[in-house]
Amino acid sequence: MAKRSKAQTELTIQQIMDEAFRQILTIGFETMSYSTLADALGISRTGVSHHFPRKIDFLLRLNERIGEHFISALDFSSNAALQRSWQQAMIRPEQQAVLRLFFSLCGRVEDEMPEFIAVEQAMQQAEAALGLSGREQVQELLGASALQLSSCSFLAKAA
């Protein structure tokens, strides 16, 4: 087998990251696997795991991108606008997936995983735009979202 060029390798890594990002937002991080990635990309599971030996490696590489995606849905022009945009974001499965990921990571104790930055970025941006009340509002919205997502999970399991 011929040796792949550095450019080909980088392209493969980027394709894997793009697909992992898509799957995190659509089927969720817990459901995403080496098999789902390999099947979607038409490469072997070994090809995926060669570049990302541990599943957490996807989060380490995609942390900032996931955070930017979440923040892009929010309007920090006023407290009311922030609340409205957050509520609208919570209707979208992709935004719900980011928060589900955040909540699932809250319970993990792994030295390697830096703080999941999506929520922290939202708090920082809200505080920069709206002061301490903006940060507090994100915290309140986060709590309400946790209740909403957990009740949706409970109702889905009960059905």
Side-chain angles (χ1 to χ4, degrees), residues 3-94:
K3 184 169 169 69
R4 292 172 47 97
S5 72
K6 185 174 180 170
Q8 289 172 316
T9 300
E10 288 302 316
L11 178 62
T12 299
I13 291 169
Q14 189 58 52
Q15 289 171 333
I16 294 169
M17 286 182 23
D18 289 346
E19 182 60 24
F21 178 74
R22 189 191 70 72
Q23 288 190 22
I24 287 168
L25 296 181
T26 56
I27 64 173
F29 179 73
E30 298 301 325
T31 305
M32 180 190 82
S33 68
Y34 289 101
S35 294
T36 62
L37 291 168
D39 290 347
L41 294 165
I43 61 177
S44 69
R45 286 176 36 143
T46 306
V48 176
S49 66
H50 172 74
H51 299 292
F52 298 90
R54 301 163 307 151
K55 194 171 175 183
I56 193 130
D57 292 333
F58 295 105
L59 293 181
L60 293 170
R61 294 280 299 269
L62 292 169
N63 195 0
E64 189 171 324
R65 185 171 169 187
I66 293 167
E68 289 169 358
H69 176 78
F70 183 72
I71 294 294
S72 71
L74 303 177
D75 180 351
F76 297 96
S77 61
S78 70
N79 284 333
L82 176 57
Q83 184 169 358
R84 274 192 309 277
S85 64
W86 189 288
Q87 289 168 342
Q88 287 297 310
M90 284 303 296
I91 295 170
R92 297 184 203 115
E94 288 184 354

Side-chain angles (χ1 to χ4, degrees), residues 100-154:
R100 277 194 179 90
L101 178 57
F102 168 74
F103 293 127
S104 74
L105 292 175
C106 287
R108 291 186 183 182
V109 180
E110 294 187 32
D111 294 334
E112 295 178 66
M113 184 61 199
E115 184 174 351
F116 187 60
I117 63 175
V119 173
E120 184 56 35
Q121 284 178 332
M123 283 193 262
Q124 289 174 356
Q125 198 159 339
E127 186 172 0
L130 306 167
L132 190 55
S133 69
R135 177 176 274 278
E136 291 169 350
Q137 184 170 21
V138 169
Q139 291 170 338
E140 289 172 18
L141 291 166
L142 192 57
S145 298
L147 291 173
Q148 180 182 344
L149 291 172
S150 66
S151 68
C152 289
S153 295
F154 175 75

